[in-house]
Amino acid sequence: MNPIVINGTVLCDNITGIPRYVYETVVRLDKLIEGTGLDVRIAYRDDGRPIHLPELKNIRLVPLKAVKYFYNLAVLPAYLRRTHAFYVGLASDMLLTKRSVTVLHDIRPLVMDTDKGFFRFKFRVQCLSTKWFAQRVFTVSDNQRHLISEKLGIPLDKIGITYNGWEHMKGVTPDESIFDKMPGVVKGEYYYALGSLAKHKNFKWIREVARRNPDKTFVVAGGKDLRAFGDDTEAKDTHNVFYPGYVSDAENAALMKHCKLFLHPAVFEGFGIPPLEALALGAPIALANATCLPELYGDTARYFDPYDYDTDLDKLAAQPVAAPDEVLQKYSWDRTANFWLHEIETVSYTHLRAH
């Protein structure tokens, strides 16, 4: 049976967002394929960085020496041809091969002017290569599914949905020492937000709301580039906002566990894992009424206008919501791994019959 090759280079980065999706899927898939006879491999660019994976028993790691831009353009495609492999791109990584399926987690660069022009051009070319070559395209919400179809002209019936999950937080012991780094933060009395400080995450909303609520405390984790909040000087002058920077899963768990309300003001998301993590840890959540968030979180969340800086946080926190059980059952890494087992079995046996 010809191999199935997953691109694992993204697993050399910090395990957040898209790397989280790949990591959690691969770790579970490794157990699921035992005894199936499937030949699944993780190829990655061997540039000296370690790949963040536990020891795998059934999936083979294939390091490929290459410089950054030649890996996807030449080295990995050559490996696929040499081994007659079928390619599975789980991390929005697109190759010019017809024996492939690809997950486009979101197409923000085609919708929002938040990235450099060259990156947007390169991203568009990659997306078009998916349209022309991939046998099937997947994404992580119905909102993105319709957006991909609209912007790229891919028929809706060619675009599937595969969700994110939350179980990576189950075995995490909250690291309460994070509060020692922020002596001004009182447990149970702060509003918490987490994410990269990219513009579409809209953490400017946090700063503006914090300025209008000087009696309230806010914690924003995920980076320290305060330019994401607007003017750098003004951001630093917001005395009631604390920036711990990148936090570990254990530190994040502690901050979610003790927050008064988890805030997610993003104006664009493909899925949005942090609110799911917060729900799993029992934290109340309030989300921007934007893109996929109402679709995914339904009545388990409170919603606000991400452009309204006069939001009444007390009224927002007091809004009644549904229990998270249904959402936590629907969006699960175990479900996602089983989804990919089925897809891989389908393409493997289809490819075998074709030869």
Side-chain angles (χ1 to χ4, degrees), residues 152-168:
L152 296 178
I154 300 174
L156 276 174
D157 61 5
K158 189 182 175 182
I159 307 172
I161 300 177
T162 162
Y163 296 116
N164 285 274
W166 56 271
E167 296 96 321
H168 56 282

Side-chain angles (χ1 to χ4, degrees), residues 67-79:
V67 295
K68 186 174 182 179
Y69 293 108
F70 280 94
Y71 174 76
N72 273 15
L73 284 174
V75 176
L76 182 54
Y79 177 76

Side-chain angles (χ1 to χ4, degrees), residues 52-348:
H52 303 305
L53 276 174
E55 184 178 352
L56 302 177
K57 294 183 178 179
N58 302 294
I59 296 178
R60 174 182 162 193
L61 290 182
V62 182
L64 299 172
K65 291 286 186 183
V67 295
K68 186 174 182 179
Y69 293 108
F70 280 94
Y71 174 76
N72 273 15
L73 284 174
V75 176
L76 182 54
Y79 177 76
L80 297 175
R81 289 192 299 271
R82 189 165 64 250
T83 57
H84 304 286
F86 190 94
Y87 175 67
V88 176
L90 296 181
S92 293
D93 33 21
M94 298 148 272
L95 299 182
L96 304 179
T97 174
K98 290 187 178 294
R99 293 200 303 271
S100 66
V101 294
T102 299
V103 182
L104 282 177
H105 288 260
D106 69 71
I107 57 167
R108 187 197 72 251
L110 304 186
V111 180
M112 299 184 69
D113 188 17
T114 55
D115 299 280
K116 294 180 179 180
F118 177 72
F119 177 82
R120 292 201 306 274
F121 170 77
K122 183 176 73 169
F123 188 82
R124 178 174 289 278
V125 171
Q126 289 178 324
C127 286
L128 288 174
S129 74
T130 294
K131 174 184 176 179
W132 295 328
F133 288 92
Q135 291 185 9
R136 194 148 187 239
V137 181
F138 297 91
T139 189
V140 290
S141 64
D142 194 53
N143 171 269
Q144 283 300 303
R145 177 172 170 260
H146 280 81
L147 201 56
I148 289 168
S149 179
E150 174 192 335
K151 295 294 183 181
L152 296 178
I154 300 174
L156 276 174
D157 61 5
K158 189 182 175 182
I159 307 172
I161 300 177
T162 162
Y163 296 116
N164 285 274
W166 56 271
E167 296 96 321
H168 56 282
M169 300 304 292
K170 281 173 71 172
V172 174
T173 301
D175 183 356
E176 306 283 340
S177 69
I178 186 66
F179 293 99
D180 297 335
K181 303 174 185 177
M182 301 179 293
V185 175
V186 178
K187 293 179 181 179
E189 296 297 326
Y190 61 92
Y191 297 85
Y192 179 46
L194 168 73
S196 71
L197 297 187
K199 286 184 180 179
H200 67 281
K201 296 296 185 181
N202 192 34
F203 285 146
K204 180 182 177 181
W205 184 88
I206 300 282
R207 188 203 75 187
E208 293 297 336
V209 172
R211 290 174 66 188
R212 289 162 172 76
N213 294 271
D215 59 323
K216 292 178 170 57
T217 302
F218 301 81
V219 177
V220 180
K224 290 189 175 181
D225 186 354
L226 302 188
R227 289 172 295 180
F229 295 80
D231 180 84
D232 188 39
T233 304
E234 288 185 10
K236 289 178 179 176
D237 287 343
T238 309
H239 71 281
N240 55 334
V241 183
F242 293 80
Y243 310 100
Y246 174 80
V247 292
S248 66
D249 282 349
E251 292 169 329
N252 179 41
L255 289 166
M256 285 181 167
K257 177 183 173 184
H258 295 292
C259 71
K260 186 172 184 177
L261 188 63
F262 179 81
L263 301 171
H264 198 71
V267 294
F268 191 99
E269 283 285 11
F271 185 93
I273 296 177
L276 194 59
E277 294 176 333
L279 282 181
L281 291 166
I285 64 174
L287 316 177
N289 189 9
T291 59
C292 67
L293 297 173
E295 167 206 333
L296 296 173
Y297 292 98
D299 55 6
T300 64
R302 303 141 188 87
Y303 295 96
F304 57 86
D305 181 346
Y307 301 103
D308 178 10
Y309 303 134
D310 293 313
T311 299
D312 187 321
L313 291 174
D314 293 323
K315 285 185 177 180
L316 185 65
Q319 290 179 12
V321 294
D325 306 64
E326 188 175 334
V327 167
L328 295 177
Q329 184 179 9
K330 181 177 182 180
Y331 309 129
S332 154
W333 292 128
D334 290 337
R335 279 176 173 260
T336 299
N338 275 286
F339 171 90
W340 279 110
L341 174 64
H342 173 73
E343 290 297 323
I344 286 172
E345 286 177 332
T346 299
V347 298
S348 292

Side-chain angles (χ1 to χ4, degrees), residues 14-69:
N14 288 329
I15 304 300
T16 61
I18 293 176
R20 172 72 69 189
Y21 176 92
V22 180
Y23 177 93
E24 301 296 338
T25 300
V26 164
V27 168
R28 286 164 174 78
L29 193 59
D30 182 58
K31 297 175 182 177
L32 292 175
I33 67 170
E34 186 169 359
T36 63
L38 292 169
D39 179 0
V40 180
R41 306 176 187 182
I42 302 291
Y44 67 99
R45 187 178 77 243
D46 183 10
D47 56 9
R49 295 180 300 163
I51 186 167
H52 303 305
L53 276 174
E55 184 178 352
L56 302 177
K57 294 183 178 179
N58 302 294
I59 296 178
R60 174 182 162 193
L61 290 182
V62 182
L64 299 172
K65 291 286 186 183
V67 295
K68 186 174 182 179
Y69 293 108

